[in-house]
Amino acid sequence: MPDATISASTKPAHKTLSEEESKELLRPFGVRFPAEAIVRDPDGAAAAADELGLPVVAKLNGDNIAHKTERGLVRLGLASSQAVRDATTELLAAATPKDGEVSVLVAPMIPSNREFICGVSIDPQFGPIILIGIGGILTEAIADVVLRLVPITRRDAEEMIDEIRTQDLLGSFRGEVPVDRSALADLLLALSTASQARSDILAIDLNPVLIHDGTPIAVDALVELSIQ
Amino acid sequence: MNATIDPARDAELFSCLFEPRGVVVAGASTHPGKFGFVVLHNILASGYEGKVFATNRDGAEVLGITTVPGIDDLPSGEIDLVVVCTPASSNLDLLRSCAAKGIRAAFLTSAGYAEAGADGVAAQAELVALGRELGMLVAGPNGQGVVSTPVNLCAQMVAPFPPAGAIGVASQSGNFVSSFLNWSTQSGVGVSRAVSAGNAASVTVGDYLEYYADDPSTAVGLAYVEGIADGRAFFDRLRSITPRKPMVVVKGGATAGGARAAASHTGSLASDDRVFDGAMRQAGVVRALTVEAAFEAAATFATQPLPKGPNTVVLTTAGGWGVVTADAITASELHLMELPADLLAQIDTKLPPRWSRNNPVDLAGAETRDTIPEVMEMIATHDDVHAIIYLGLGIQSNQARMMHRGRFYPGYGLDRIVEFHQRQDERYATAAADISTSTGKPILTATELAVTDPDNPGPRAVRSSGRLCYASSNRAVTALEQLWRYARFLQR
């Protein structure tokens, strides 16, 4: 188990799930993800793209692949069969031995101008916490986030959304309809339920959660579990 | 003895701490520089209503009190509280003797416990165990003391003894008890109880707040916390308290976090401060960022009714103040409401056309003798208005002061105008309090004269009305926003 590590701090032994496994874990709690395919080679990727409809995104998928964007392991807006093949070849070549067994995740490209982050983490003093904020690659720099302790009520979820400072991103934005706040609250409640039900969850990242036609759609998931 | 209930959860024992029939200072000193002297001095000087006893190894007379050498020499059943100023090593025997005399609460000022290394940690554990065994409330150790104005008790090793009021203070740091009590003394908004938790060996800040929640003398809890060991328990405790009473918390220091998953963005975004902030919001706790903002929020809860909504009107005698206040309201969760047409029409009957005809209601110097109270009443009685911020108090008295000190006084009619100005400001301050009370709506008065010239009859009359005169409109807006947040929390 090369990915099970014990850090110098008090952090317990843990492992990260692949994007695919992370999504599988979260679906039963009511987190919805777009259709996607897991493929092993360029031919499979091209076939999946045909089925899903172009354009698509391709991402390297595997245990312990946490910071995909930072490592250049996400290819967006692949608009032709050849582009899908090339991207798949490059992604598979970019895998390192440390990544273990890898595959490529192909999913429809969802047009969106807005990105949010929803997640769960364990605070040393307060226990499981849930977070929502402005997502995407700038999420830590902007740090417009709101937190609560797990579990949350629907009212808590609504207040979390209300307390995001950049409220303009939740309204009508660049010609798009306002964000469906109720659906966003549903997403937070699903994460709260998951965190309560699975005491082995150390962290969940849904980043980004895209807004498409006002509906929030998580297009990436990372779950970190403790190993007992 | 077989104590089945945690002393720190027994309200009767807290009554022994805050409303004791009699107090004994253990370890009273003849030296006015020693804590054992100062504590006894402060108890006597503040006019504590119960019986006061003291022990001194030599049985010396201290401040007119004939001390006894030991607890065993005291009467039984007359004393509820012992304030312990003796060394840690002697305290276990001392508390056993106290229990035998029917004493059920102890406040330990003694150092040498958990703050003092491994031996101290062990001594503190023994102390906690003994408290449970004896069924005694053991507050501290290493604490500054306890204050309770309903019985004029100032059993602490520092000043001041604050005016009586409805704020219940609990602090993990004794210094901040002093800060809050100093603000109370300066502002005139009083305190019901105050206690420094010291090492909080068996009685924590949460325990004191729990007592305040059901204490009829206390309207609001005010706490300073740092280094919360079990944040979740603190959260659960506060969440059970806030439906009963507002709680204001100010927090110091970063907690020992940092061992979080670097792999997740959520973990790296969940800083200690953001987690604390979210938890307090969720629990309906008012979190203040500074000590003075915390005191002012608590003072506002203690002296103003809760707003039923966010609609706020600014009443001002001058333009600039109104503009800045409007900015602050707009940036807050309060609502700078538009003036309803019927209210506009009503105010029109009292003012010449040059008034602002807008919110802020700027009287533009058009006021005559009765304008301010009359317009204030019109605004406050309108159904759509939930709160008022009143600016401009004290201007007339400020001018009166200059006239009074100038070389022309009392000629040229200055004596009469000085008296008129001062009387007017007193009227305005009184009107703000009376109209607030009669309408059940908060009316906050702000002027820097509250601190730049506290003797100005305007701010002085606000103090006499029992309310806080805010040193700036921004601080009034901040306090009012906290009231509205809490009111909204109760409405959920």
Side-chain angles (χ1 to χ4, degrees):
Chain A
M1 239 188 311
D3 48 356
T5 55
I6 298 175
S7 68
S9 63
T10 56
K11 194 175 168 187
H14 64 285
K15 65 170 180 179
T16 53
L17 301 183
S18 72
E19 180 177 339
E20 181 199 11
E21 290 169 324
S22 297
K23 289 173 173 173
E24 255 168 45
L25 185 147
L26 293 173
R27 274 196 192 92
F29 297 103
V31 183
R32 289 181 303 156
F33 298 98
E36 64 190 30
I38 298 290
V39 300
R40 306 276 161 194
D41 52 40
D43 284 348
D50 268 356
E51 185 134 326
L52 294 164
L54 294 166
V56 295
V57 299
K59 299 184 263 189
L60 193 65
N61 178 65
D63 294 351
N64 218 26
I65 298 181
H67 295 293
K68 286 193 285 279
T69 305
E70 290 87 330
R71 287 182 56 195
L73 301 180
V74 179
R75 302 297 162 91
L76 301 173
L78 305 172
S80 71
S81 198
Q82 192 55 47
V84 173
R85 286 172 191 277
D86 292 348
T88 303
T89 305
E90 287 165 21
L91 287 173
L92 290 170
T96 66
K98 220 182 123 216
D99 294 332
E101 196 183 325
V102 296
S103 54
V104 171
L105 190 153
V106 182
M109 176 79 193
I110 294 172
S112 170
N113 288 319
R114 292 176 275 190
E115 298 186 350
F116 291 86
I117 178 173
C118 297
V120 164
S121 178
I122 311 290
D123 181 83
Q125 272 81 40
F126 286 89
I129 59 99
I130 184 161
L131 171 146
I132 186 170
I134 305 303
I137 56 171
L138 297 180
T139 183
E140 270 129 341
I142 296 170
D144 183 358
V145 294
V146 181
L147 293 91
R148 291 291 187 267
L149 308 190
V150 171
I152 54 167
T153 63
R154 175 161 284 276
R155 183 64 192 255
D156 289 330
E158 289 165 357
E159 288 182 355
M160 289 176 75
I161 297 164
D162 289 346
E163 285 174 28
I164 294 172
R165 287 196 310 275
T166 317
Q167 285 290 311
D168 287 353
L169 279 183
L170 291 147
S172 302
F173 179 75
R174 294 175 72 96
E176 295 180 19
V177 296
V179 174
D180 181 345
R181 286 174 181 252
S182 173
L184 205 47
D186 288 341
L187 187 57
L188 290 171
L189 286 164
L191 291 185
S192 175
T193 308
S195 169
Q196 260 194 303
R198 292 282 302 255
S199 60
D200 58 339
I201 292 180
L202 293 177
I204 303 171
D205 269 354
L206 300 180
N207 185 29
V209 175
L210 300 179
I211 305 299
H212 181 64
D213 286 342
T215 305
I217 304 169
V219 296
D220 195 0
L222 173 77
V223 172
E224 194 180 1
L225 297 178
S226 64
I227 305 165
Q228 304 306 331
Chain B
M1 292 229 188
N2 184 14
T4 52
I5 147 168
D6 182 353
R9 300 291 176 110
D10 187 337
E12 206 183 304
L13 296 185
F14 278 91
S15 298
C16 293
L17 178 67
F18 287 115
E19 304 212 341
R21 289 168 301 158
V23 175
V24 57
V25 176
S29 170
T30 53
H31 190 299
K34 301 262 189 193
F35 290 145
F37 178 96
V38 177
V39 170
L40 182 61
H41 172 272
N42 290 352
I43 291 172
L44 295 169
S46 60
Y48 168 62
E49 291 166 2
K51 286 190 181 173
V52 181
F53 302 87
T55 69
N56 172 278
R57 214 171 27 202
D58 309 322
E61 187 193 300
V62 184
L63 291 163
I65 299 277
T66 308
T67 65
V68 293
I71 297 290
D72 298 337
D73 304 312
L74 293 169
S76 287
E78 292 184 27
I79 303 167
D80 288 323
L81 171 65
V82 57
V83 183
V84 179
C85 302
T86 45
S89 56
S90 60
N91 286 346
L92 292 181
D93 289 342
L94 179 92
L95 292 182
R96 285 188 186 281
S97 302
C98 287
K101 293 290 178 181
I103 296 172
R104 301 181 67 199
F107 190 98
L108 274 71
T109 64
S110 322
Y113 288 96
E115 83 286 358
D119 289 352
V121 170
Q124 185 161 310
E126 285 182 303
L127 189 65
V128 172
L130 182 66
R132 281 180 174 266
E133 181 197 322
L134 300 174
M136 181 185 279
L137 187 75
V138 179
N142 193 27
Q144 195 169 272
V146 57
V147 164
S148 181
T149 58
V151 294
N152 290 332
L153 178 67
C154 183
Q156 57 172 1
M157 55 169 78
V158 287
F161 182 59
I167 301 174
V169 176
S171 174
Q172 243 169 292
S173 152
N175 301 147
F176 280 115
V177 174
S178 301
S179 293
F180 291 138
L181 300 189
N182 286 331
W183 283 117
S184 168
T185 304
Q186 185 265 348
S187 68
V189 178
V191 163
S192 55
R193 329 279 189 187
V195 63
S196 91
N199 292 359
S202 65
V203 195
T204 64
V205 167
D207 294 322
Y208 294 114
L209 295 181
E210 178 93 54
Y211 174 75
Y212 296 158
D214 295 324
D215 173 20
S217 298
T218 301
V220 55
L222 171 59
Y224 171 83
V225 296
E226 60 189 35
I228 302 158
D230 187 345
R232 183 76 209 194
F234 187 64
F235 166 81
D236 288 338
R237 199 72 181 281
L238 284 170
R239 193 167 54 169
S240 75
I241 292 171
T242 48
R244 285 175 277 165
K245 238 165 240 183
M247 293 288 143
V248 180
V249 170
V250 62
K251 173 179 167 286
T255 45
R260 291 200 189 87
S264 82
H265 292 281
T266 303
S268 62
L269 282 163
S271 68
D272 294 328
D273 196 65
R274 290 185 193 130
V275 172
F276 185 78
D277 203 71
M280 292 303 101
R281 285 269 194 145
Q282 193 172 1
V285 170
V286 170
R287 184 188 178 195
L289 295 181
T290 65
V291 170
E292 57 271 28
F295 178 79
E296 287 176 9
T300 309
F301 279 108
T303 59
Q304 296 275 357
L306 286 181
K308 293 187 174 57
N311 295 346
T312 306
V313 173
V314 180
L315 174 61
T316 178
T317 55
W321 292 330
V323 174
V324 167
T325 311
D327 289 345
I329 291 172
T330 304
S332 76
E333 290 170 27
L334 299 169
H335 177 53
L336 186 73
M337 69 182 291
E338 267 190 54
L339 293 186
D342 55 337
L343 181 55
L344 264 180
Q346 236 188 325
I347 299 175
D348 275 338
T349 66
K350 294 290 172 191
L351 290 170
R354 70 168 185 272
W355 79 277
S356 65
R357 304 200 82 251
N358 208 337
N359 186 13
V361 175
D362 179 359
L363 303 176
E367 61 269 24
T368 55
R369 192 178 163 280
D370 298 318
T371 311
I372 288 173
E374 284 175 355
V375 172
M376 191 185 289
E377 177 129 34
M378 283 174 181
I379 297 169
T381 50
H382 196 284
D383 284 344
D384 296 350
V385 176
H386 301 128
I388 295 175
I389 293 180
Y390 164 49
L391 311 172
L393 182 73
I395 302 179
Q396 288 179 246
S397 300
N398 211 26
Q399 179 56 41
R401 183 169 85 151
M402 190 155 179
M403 287 171 162
H404 193 224
R405 291 179 174 186
R407 64 193 166 93
F408 299 105
Y409 187 86
Y412 304 95
L414 290 176
D415 53 346
R416 286 202 310 281
I417 196 73
V418 163
E419 203 219 339
F420 171 76
H421 283 326
Q422 294 182 337
R423 203 170 54 234
Q424 284 296 89
D425 275 321
E426 283 168 12
R427 275 187 71 210
Y428 304 154
T430 307
D434 290 350
I435 295 169
S436 168
T437 302
S438 67
T439 57
K441 296 177 185 181
I443 300 180
L444 281 64
T445 303
T447 168
E448 70 284 351
L449 290 166
V451 289
T452 59
D453 182 17
D455 289 332
N456 180 302
R460 200 173 57 204
V462 177
R463 285 201 301 279
S464 301
S465 76
R467 299 196 178 205
L468 182 64
C469 191
Y470 302 82
S472 75
S473 62
N474 299 75
R475 285 158 74 164
V477 168
T478 299
L480 183 59
E481 183 184 30
Q482 303 281 36
L483 251 62
W484 164 232
R485 279 186 187 164
Y486 180 68
R488 196 176 48 191
F489 170 79
L490 290 184
Q491 288 169 8
R492 317 176 21 158

